[in-house]
Amino acid sequence: MITTKEKEGKTNGNPVNHNMTESLKFNEFRQEVLSDYKLAFLSRQMSLIARREVLTGKAKFGIFGDGKEIAQIAMAKQFKEGDWRSGYYRDQTFMLATGMITPEKFFAMLYGETRTHLNPDNGGRSMNNHFGTRLIDDNGNWINQTQSKNTTSDISPTAGQMPRLVGLALASKLYRNQPELSHLSQFSNHGNEVAFGTIGDASTSQGLFFETINAAAVLQIPMAVSVWDDGYGISVPVNLQTVKANISKALKGFEKRNNDPNGILIYEGFGWDYAGLCQMYEEGIRQCRKNHIPVLFHVKELTQPTGHSTSGSHERYKTNERLEWEKEKDALTQMRKWLIDTNLADEETLKSIEKEALTEAQTAQKKVFKEFMEPFRQERKQLIEMVQQKSCVCHPEGEAQINGIIDKLNKAITLNRKEILSAARKILRHTCVSCQAQGGLKEQLKKWIADYFESGREKYNRYLYDESHHSPLLTQPVAPEYADEAPMVPGREIIRDNFDALFAKDPRILTLGEDTGKLGDVNRTLEGLQEKYGEWRVRDTGIHEATIVGQGIGLALRGLRPITEIQYFDYILYALHIISDDVATTHYRTKGGQKVPLIVRTRGHRLEGIWHSGSPLSMVINSVRGIHVCVPRDMTRAAGMYNTLLDGEDPALVIEPLNGYRIREKKPANLGEYKIPLGVPEVLKEGTDVTVVTYGSCVRIARDAARQLESTGISVELIDVQTLLPFDKERVILNSLKKTNRIVFFDEDVPGGATAFMMQKVIEEQGGFNHLSNRPVTVTAKDHRPAYGTDGDYFSNPNAEDLYEAIYNLMGEDFPDKFPPIY
């Protein structure tokens, strides 16, 4: 490094020739600088070539890191094996400099290559420059993170990468300070890892950025954030984005000084100042790594030569003066000038370096594009040959249509699988019935299309959940066991004692949230556990739901088993974007290369008022596919679900019923051991007339209604779905419907919410429509959030009388004499 102090001494027992040593060191320094310039120039050429590939139609979209090259090289010099990056789509030069990508992988991402050995970062699931090292091997096992440089999988939402950064850095603090974690050596080298974050200056306007900086400043963790400041957020200038038009000035109140117990260190540098940036990053990261102090690097006067992305031109919103300034302040231009002014290189040397870098970029692009297109050409050829080799002759009109489709496919300018499969399906329409014979074209085409869809499933659809032996869906159920004189205890004690058993046997498990620690959460389900297991395993946090979940993401990626608590289900909204955009998509968007075994714990249904009574399940289940959603009816079931989830490595959301903490349940003897299977409903009461499907707190209400209906002679079969994602894997509900031929879906969500989801699953997907003797019915809450108080709840949420009357009326449609109208 250019700022490293030279050491004196002897070599091989001989006196050192200081002049020769100085000369060797200068030559090494010069070579390093020239190598850095070549890398920066290579990255710039990759951006320019990739942009042309998009604009000429060879690639779909492009977003690049041009203008940020020098600063990212300086940062990369401090990035070591075991370190982590949580960044965004401008970081291609950093990724190149650290060796986490190559030019070939860069172009493979640009084209959307689906083969993970060619595009390991996202397997074609995300846009270009959405990076992510593979943390999981082909068997679903974690790799040794201390022997690799690691980056979390990028997401597009601005500042969305920030919350997880807190957890990545917090893990280092825990690994350094918690001796019971020392055996997890594949995840940390004594906590010496730094979590590097990157963000565009405009994105620092997001609340997620401030939540993250605040949390890190309080926690004092090794987190290093680089802000790339090029003066704009697409077209909006910095003076309309940030107070004082300067994020480091805006954060002065966060700055750590002298004896401050917490805070952050703030450094400022210029994006074109190679030497200054190298020195700044060396000093800042040394402090961060050694002392676990969070650091912010504000890198100013950066440029964006090709604009925000391929979707528009920055000439539309930048003045001519600004554009001229950007040409002058371009980091490559400035570094090139510095190299000549300091006699580190002459014009001829630099031209040779630039030519070599350009050739490398061009060669990589041509190689990758050829490699990318070859499977398409082979698949097109296979389809066309199959059609052309048919033994039968179709009807003239059909034959003409088929020939036209083949001709169009042969001439396709942008050949892709959509064109190929679309052509095959259209050809099938025009294939004569006579080709249906065994071995005929119609039969061959049907099989080819089915195989092509299956091949596409692997490329584009699979890996929403863990498919390895770590899947919690493979966990064998274990029933709760009860002693002869098992006590009846409040439900909260079952949850508490189950957590106690889990914490005792696995030091990786920890929990954090608002009032989680000292208070033992607001419902005392963790009472006494902080005193027993320490404040870092049962921890209080500030009121910042997004970074509570973010901490869980980072900790889970680094080998721990966090349970993050959102105090009430209604407040999940403040973290839903992180759960939806990040947690739920991680395994899918990396094509099985990363996973987040995080449990988000909350409580909901029926308490008091709008923000403590909600059941917005449809909002959740339709935005968190990729996460298991558990809706236990009581605390025995909830505890068993935690046991199951911790046996696997998928993320999950568990919504405990608020009214279950005080209701007494028989206490199981095998706490921490029994396991409730996911996706398997439980038939709580057998019946013959109507099937009622519900979950959570509604189970108790449904039981009440079913008892009332018995006096009328109506026999209800009551089913608790237990989990909404997954939903009824074993078709328990369908089997009930085959017996009763009538069905009612019941919950506290809004009309058309989770009841509509359940209805679609049973009636359409499972084929329940064929077994109905009457219309399916839903009983839900009103369109609005629940009103306050007992009466507000009664008039807002469904009650036993609502369900009673819905079932009674349904039976009355078939037997009007036996069940005459109530009203």
Side-chain angles (χ1 to χ4, degrees):
M1 289 298 301
I2 64 172
T3 57
T4 301
K5 293 181 179 178
E6 297 170 359
K7 296 179 181 179
E8 297 181 359
K10 298 182 178 181
T11 304
N12 296 327
N14 298 317
V16 174
N17 183 325
H18 287 284
N19 290 333
M20 183 179 296
T21 301
E22 296 297 330
S23 176
L24 286 172
K25 287 183 178 180
F26 177 79
N27 286 335
E28 290 173 3
F29 158 67
R30 178 176 178 273
Q31 190 56 50
E32 180 181 350
V33 173
L34 293 180
S35 177
D36 287 346
Y37 179 72
K38 179 186 175 183
L39 181 65
F41 195 86
L42 169 64
S43 184
R44 176 66 61 86
Q45 298 310 306
M46 287 161 53
S47 295
L48 296 173
I49 292 170
R51 181 176 173 82
R52 287 196 294 270
E53 289 298 281
V54 175
L55 297 180
T56 55
K58 290 182 180 178
K60 189 78 173 177
F61 177 79
I63 194 160
F64 311 111
D66 47 298
K68 319 294 189 290
E69 295 92 352
I70 304 305
Q72 292 185 16
I73 288 171
M75 179 173 69
K77 291 177 182 294
Q78 307 304 322
F79 195 80
K80 302 179 182 298
E81 287 189 345
D83 283 348
W84 282 84
R85 165 192 171 273
S86 181
Y88 79 135
Y89 38 75
R90 303 290 184 199
D91 291 347
Q92 73 197 45
T93 309
F94 175 79
M95 295 296 291
L96 282 168
T98 56
M100 289 191 283
I101 66 162
T102 63
E104 288 77 12
K105 290 177 182 177
F106 168 86
F107 285 111
M109 266 192 284
L110 178 75
Y111 297 126
E113 174 61 69
T114 60
R115 291 169 288 183
T116 51
H117 68 283
L118 299 174
N119 180 8
D121 290 74
N122 62 47
R125 300 286 172 89
S126 294
M127 293 188 299
N128 78 299
N129 277 23
H130 284 60
F131 308 106
T133 50
R134 299 193 79 75
L135 308 176
I136 307 298
D137 65 22
D138 292 340
N139 296 315
N141 300 316
W142 295 94
I143 65 164
N144 189 324
Q145 297 174 359
T146 66
Q147 296 176 4
S148 63
K149 295 177 179 179
N150 310 294
T151 182
T152 56
S153 174
D154 294 343
I155 58 177
S156 292
T158 56
Q161 73 273 25
M162 297 304 291
R164 72 170 97 102
L165 186 61
V166 181
L168 293 170
L170 177 59
S172 290
K173 190 179 189 78
L174 294 179
Y175 280 123
R176 177 175 287 185
N177 297 322
Q178 303 302 306
E180 64 268 32
L181 300 177
S182 60
H183 66 288
L184 298 172
S185 56
Q186 72 182 105
F187 295 103
S188 178
N189 178 21
H190 306 294
N192 292 323
E193 303 80 20
V194 171
F196 288 68
T198 63
I199 188 169
D201 181 64
S203 296
T204 64
S205 301
Q206 292 273 12
L208 294 177
F209 173 79
F210 284 93
E211 269 198 43
T212 296
I213 296 298
N214 182 61
V218 170
L219 289 168
Q220 290 297 280
I221 50 180
M223 185 184 90
V225 176
S226 292
V227 178
W228 309 137
D229 185 355
D230 57 26
Y232 287 83
I234 305 185
S235 65
V236 181
V238 66
N239 62 296
L240 299 180
Q241 299 273 7
T242 307
V243 62
K244 300 184 179 180
N246 185 305
I247 190 60
S248 49
K249 287 183 180 179
L251 292 174
K252 280 296 181 183
F254 287 82
E255 192 167 16
K256 185 179 177 74
R257 295 188 180 91
N258 300 326
N259 297 321
D260 288 347
N262 53 35
I264 65 172
L265 301 178
I266 299 176
Y267 293 80
E268 293 182 271
F270 295 103
W272 43 263
D273 181 8
Y274 173 80
L277 289 168
C278 288
Q279 186 172 2
M280 177 183 76
Y281 274 105
E282 183 176 43
E283 165 62 20
I285 298 300
R286 181 172 65 246
Q287 290 270 13
C288 186
R289 194 182 303 278
K290 179 182 178 182
N291 300 317
H292 280 194
I293 301 173
V295 179
L296 181 126
F297 301 101
H298 181 194
V299 183
K300 301 178 291 187
E301 295 192 6
L302 288 164
T303 64
Q304 202 158 273
T306 63
H308 173 262
S309 69
T310 55
S311 64
S313 169
H314 63 148
E315 287 85 358
R316 287 165 41 202
Y317 53 84
K318 290 178 180 175
T319 65
N320 290 331
E321 291 77 12
R322 173 70 190 191
L323 291 171
E324 286 301 315
W325 180 89
E326 288 192 4
K327 285 181 181 178
E328 179 188 345
K329 287 295 185 180
D330 185 293
L332 288 187
T333 301
Q334 290 292 319
M335 185 174 183
R336 196 180 198 281
K337 182 176 182 298
W338 176 74
L339 287 169
I340 292 175
D341 289 347
T342 56
N343 295 318
L344 287 168
D346 54 28
E347 185 71 24
E348 183 178 348
T349 300
L350 293 178
K351 284 184 177 179
S352 175
I353 288 173
E354 290 162 357
K355 181 179 179 181
E356 187 178 343
L358 175 60
T359 300
E360 185 177 341
Q362 291 172 332
T363 301
Q365 180 271 317
K366 290 174 183 176
K367 173 181 178 291
V368 170
F369 186 70
K370 181 180 178 182
E371 206 165 31
F372 173 68
M373 292 301 298
E374 186 57 30
F376 300 158
R377 296 190 179 101
Q378 291 298 322
E379 291 159 16
R380 175 176 64 181
K381 179 183 177 183
Q382 183 188 46
L383 173 63
I384 291 173
E385 286 181 350
M386 179 178 62
V387 174
Q388 291 177 339
Q389 291 172 6
K390 64 186 177 70
S391 56
C392 57
V393 178
C394 291
H395 185 278
E397 184 178 343
E399 194 78 16
Q401 291 282 356
I402 290 171
N403 290 336
I405 295 167
I406 292 295
D407 184 58
K408 182 181 177 182
L409 184 60
N410 266 321
K411 295 177 180 177
I413 297 174
T414 55
L415 182 62
N416 51 45
R417 292 192 171 95
K418 173 195 170 185
E419 296 283 348
I420 295 167
L421 184 55
S422 175
R425 297 170 78 179
K426 290 173 182 174
I427 291 170
L428 186 62
R429 299 176 194 168
H430 299 288
T431 305
C432 296
V433 178
S434 59
C435 292
Q436 185 74 46
Q438 187 173 2
L441 178 59
K442 203 170 191 74
E443 184 184 73
Q444 291 180 58
L445 263 177
K446 285 163 67 176
K447 183 179 184 307
W448 189 92
I449 290 170
D451 291 344
Y452 207 76
F453 266 119
E454 183 58 30
S455 172
R457 194 175 80 84
E458 190 280 332
K459 293 177 177 67
Y460 308 108
N461 305 126
R462 279 181 57 190
Y463 306 108
L464 184 59
Y465 296 93
D466 193 338
E467 298 180 13
S468 75
H469 64 283
H470 296 290
S471 169
L473 301 183
L474 300 178
T475 294
Q476 293 300 307
V478 177
E481 297 174 0
Y482 298 95
D484 292 339
E485 301 297 327
M488 296 292 290
V489 299
R492 74 169 187 88
E493 293 186 17
I494 292 176
I495 283 282
R496 180 197 63 192
D497 294 348
N498 192 77
F499 278 138
D500 190 7
L502 292 170
F503 273 64
K505 68 181 180 180
D506 190 346
R508 299 176 304 159
I509 299 174
L510 54 93
T511 186
L512 58 135
E514 301 163 21
D515 299 303
T516 296
K518 188 172 183 178
L519 193 63
D521 85 42
V522 290
N523 296 101
R524 297 161 58 205
T525 61
L526 297 165
E527 185 181 31
L529 296 190
Q530 186 182 74
E531 290 88 343
K532 188 170 184 179
Y533 296 105
E535 66 177 19
W536 284 106
R537 290 191 68 191
V538 184
R539 186 165 64 83
D540 285 315
T541 69
I543 302 175
H544 42 71
E545 284 84 0
T547 44
I548 290 173
V549 173
Q551 288 176 60
I553 297 171
L555 294 170
L557 284 167
R558 295 197 59 187
L560 301 175
R561 297 306 308 268
I563 301 169
T564 57
E565 182 179 326
I566 303 300
Q567 202 161 81
Y568 293 104
F569 189 27
D570 296 279
Y571 300 130
I572 206 84
L573 282 165
Y574 292 87
L576 187 59
H577 48 338
I578 300 303
I579 298 170
S580 176
D581 290 334
D582 204 349
V583 183
T585 64
T586 295
H587 198 259
Y588 170 79
R589 73 178 187 262
T590 60
K591 206 174 178 183
Q594 296 186 7
K595 57 185 171 183
V596 181
L598 164 67
I599 297 175
V600 178
R601 178 188 180 216
T602 189
R603 50 191 67 85
H605 322 303
R606 295 191 181 257
L607 184 60
E608 294 295 346
I610 294 178
W611 290 285
H612 296 82
S613 306
S615 301
L617 265 303
S618 55
M619 175 187 71
V620 169
I621 60 177
N622 291 310
S623 59
V624 301
R625 302 297 168 94
I627 291 177
H628 300 302
V629 177
C630 303
V631 282
R633 66 180 182 270
D634 58 30
M635 298 307 150
T636 301
R637 253 45 57 178
M641 290 172 184
Y642 287 120
N643 299 339
T644 299
L645 292 166
L646 288 165
D647 196 48
E649 293 187 345
D650 266 334
L653 171 65
V654 181
I655 305 160
E656 298 166 12
L658 267 165
N659 57 17
Y661 297 121
R662 58 180 174 78
I663 296 175
R664 291 182 175 270
E665 303 174 37
K666 187 182 289 189
K667 185 175 181 178
N670 55 341
L671 290 170
E673 302 295 336
Y674 70 91
K675 298 177 177 68
I676 303 297
L678 308 182
V680 181
E682 184 176 355
V683 178
L684 301 179
K685 177 184 177 299
E686 293 192 358
T688 56
D689 293 324
V690 60
T691 299
V692 173
V693 181
T694 190
Y695 57 85
S697 293
C698 282
V699 169
R700 184 171 53 86
I701 299 167
R703 277 178 160 152
D704 183 12
R707 282 192 294 267
Q708 294 179 41
L709 285 162
E710 286 177 356
S711 63
T712 68
I714 297 175
S715 175
V716 172
E717 180 140 301
L718 177 58
I719 298 178
D720 175 9
V721 300
Q722 304 206 92
T723 63
L724 288 167
L725 298 176
F727 183 85
D728 193 6
K729 297 184 302 173
E730 300 181 1
R731 303 198 166 200
V732 171
I733 301 168
L734 178 65
N735 291 332
S736 174
L737 182 56
K738 288 178 181 179
K739 177 173 60 173
T740 65
N741 306 123
R742 299 176 192 86
I743 193 163
V744 175
F745 298 96
F746 171 48
D747 78 350
E748 299 176 42
D749 201 358
V750 294
T755 52
F757 164 78
M758 295 190 290
M759 182 187 293
Q760 187 270 336
K761 285 286 186 181
V762 176
I763 303 304
E764 180 186 349
E765 190 174 302
Q766 296 185 1
F769 178 83
N770 299 314
H771 305 283
L772 287 171
S773 66
N774 211 325
R775 61 187 175 85
V777 172
T778 64
V779 178
T780 69
K782 298 297 189 290
D783 283 326
H784 54 75
R785 299 278 189 94
Y788 177 68
T790 301
D791 291 340
D793 176 80
Y794 191 84
F795 281 88
S796 302
N797 277 322
N799 49 63
E801 288 72 44
D802 293 331
L803 184 59
Y804 177 101
E805 290 168 9
I807 295 170
Y808 182 91
N809 292 338
L810 182 64
M811 294 295 294
E813 292 177 12
D814 285 339
F815 307 102
D817 293 337
K818 189 173 182 181
F819 306 107
I822 298 174
Y823 297 104

